[in-house]
Amino acid sequence: MQISMDIINDNLIVTLKGELDHHTSEDARKSIDQQYYKNNLLNIVLDLRGLSFMDSSGIGLIMGRYKNCKEERGNMSIVSTSPSIDRILKMSGLLKLMDVYSNIDEAIKD
Amino acid sequence: MEKNYMKLEFSSKSSNESFARVVVAAFASQLDPTLEELSDIKTAVSEAVTNAIIHGYEYGEGVVLVEATIENNSIEIIIQDNGKGIDDIDKAMEPFYTSKPDLERSGMGFTVMETFMDELVVESNIEKGTKVRMVKKFKSLPYEE
């Protein structure tokens, strides 16, 4: 899996590409947390559009980052357009906690 | 569809999670599944294999066994480990329950398997291991006697 990150104002924009499972989620967690705390950021936007696969390890990753954002009084949002990923997000109840956008600009604007 | 069978054994390493789900999905593809059905199978296999590695063997050495049988319009998938076993299966299957909260696990593994597959049976014996049996029926193929 590939992970790339950008900072726009107080937002950490995380773009994931490839497959997010137990094996790949550990590295993603470390990289995201490192950037988030090192730069004293507030919000995280997680762009999942480049993922071809995600299982419940991805849910664990999102939940953990959501908790971190809340502790810093920030917000977490997701960018996704894939029906299979949306299905697992919906099942996990995460959509009650955060918003899903179809592109990064909309996610930042809110 | 004529009966067909496969068996796969691999080390309990997390790098094998993608290997296992891709193999089962490739085997299932002869049933002409929809993209959604294929994604369901990959996700369910990934959850069961991840459980075997994290909970069954607790990241230690071990062998994970995956078997799949195609018959008529359905696939039966068995994922087995010889690890520590599950104390309380009912508890383990509750949504959001995790025995390892420090690992940021979502506790959704069995819920995902249950939702994405048509049947799920979990058998476990302490210090002997866990066997997960799942069945998925494919809508794309008409059932032939």
Side-chain angles (χ1 to χ4, degrees):
Chain A
M1 193 188 61
Q2 284 177 287
I3 177 164
S4 59
M5 285 180 274
D6 286 307
I7 297 171
I8 303 176
N9 301 319
D10 280 337
N11 306 295
L12 179 64
I13 317 295
V14 182
T15 306
L16 300 176
K17 283 190 180 141
E19 305 200 320
L20 181 58
D21 61 7
H22 161 241
H23 181 66
T24 56
S25 63
E26 188 61 14
D27 284 344
R29 180 175 71 83
K30 284 182 192 152
S31 311
I32 296 169
D33 288 355
Q34 198 188 19
Q35 285 295 318
Y36 181 71
Y37 290 113
K38 193 176 79 182
N39 298 292
N40 287 314
L41 300 171
L42 205 56
N43 310 310
I44 297 177
V45 177
L46 198 56
D47 184 354
L48 307 177
R49 287 175 298 177
L51 287 184
S52 52
F53 177 84
M54 183 177 103
D55 63 15
S56 76
S57 299
I59 300 300
L61 177 84
I62 298 170
M63 277 178 171
R65 310 293 70 66
Y66 170 80
K67 280 182 198 154
N68 292 350
C69 283
K70 285 291 145 193
E71 274 171 22
E72 301 295 320
R73 299 185 181 279
N75 272 310
M76 167 130 194
S77 49
I78 290 171
V79 178
S80 171
T81 50
S82 146
S84 65
I85 287 177
D86 288 352
R87 224 150 41 97
I88 195 162
L89 288 174
K90 198 173 176 185
M91 202 177 83
S92 69
L94 280 181
L95 302 186
K96 290 177 193 146
L97 302 173
M98 59 194 84
D99 293 319
V100 177
Y101 300 90
S102 54
N103 62 64
I104 290 170
D105 289 343
E106 276 179 38
I108 294 175
K109 208 161 58 185
D110 277 10
Chain B
M1 178 72 60
E2 201 185 332
K3 191 170 175 175
N4 199 355
Y5 169 79
M6 62 142 277
K7 179 175 164 181
L8 177 71
E9 272 185 1
F10 52 88
S11 305
S12 61
K13 293 184 188 305
S14 65
S15 54
N16 286 330
E17 289 157 6
S18 72
F19 169 63
R21 64 180 178 256
V22 166
V23 168
V24 177
F27 183 68
S29 67
Q30 54 196 297
L31 283 164
D32 196 21
T34 62
L35 279 178
E36 188 177 308
E37 287 167 338
L38 214 49
S39 160
D40 289 351
I41 287 177
K42 279 169 88 172
T43 313
V45 168
S46 196
E47 300 293 352
V49 170
T50 302
N51 276 353
I53 294 168
I54 298 181
H55 300 287
Y57 294 115
E58 299 192 296
Y59 294 101
E61 274 185 37
V63 172
V64 182
L65 170 70
V66 175
E67 291 172 281
T69 307
I70 286 172
E71 199 167 11
N72 297 318
N73 65 335
S74 70
I75 185 165
E76 177 194 62
I77 303 166
I78 291 170
I79 294 164
Q80 215 169 335
D81 66 64
N82 302 309
K84 63 176 277 206
I86 304 170
D87 272 341
D88 183 342
I89 294 179
D90 289 341
K91 185 98 191 152
M93 290 180 78
E94 279 175 19
F96 304 110
Y97 172 78
T98 176
S99 58
K100 299 199 183 329
D102 48 315
L103 291 182
E104 271 194 1
R105 305 299 309 161
S106 66
M108 293 292 293
F110 281 125
T111 310
V112 168
M113 292 180 232
E114 224 165 12
T115 310
F116 287 179
M117 302 295 278
D118 293 301
E119 284 174 39
L120 170 68
V121 180
V122 183
E123 289 167 29
S124 193
N125 289 303
I126 297 296
E127 302 307 332
K128 287 196 174 151
T130 300
K131 180 178 175 180
V132 173
R133 180 186 167 271
M134 309 183 276
V135 176
K136 179 92 176 163
K137 295 184 177 86
F138 292 85
K139 313 283 183 286
S140 45
L141 286 182
Y143 178 75
E144 288 164 27
E145 282 291 338

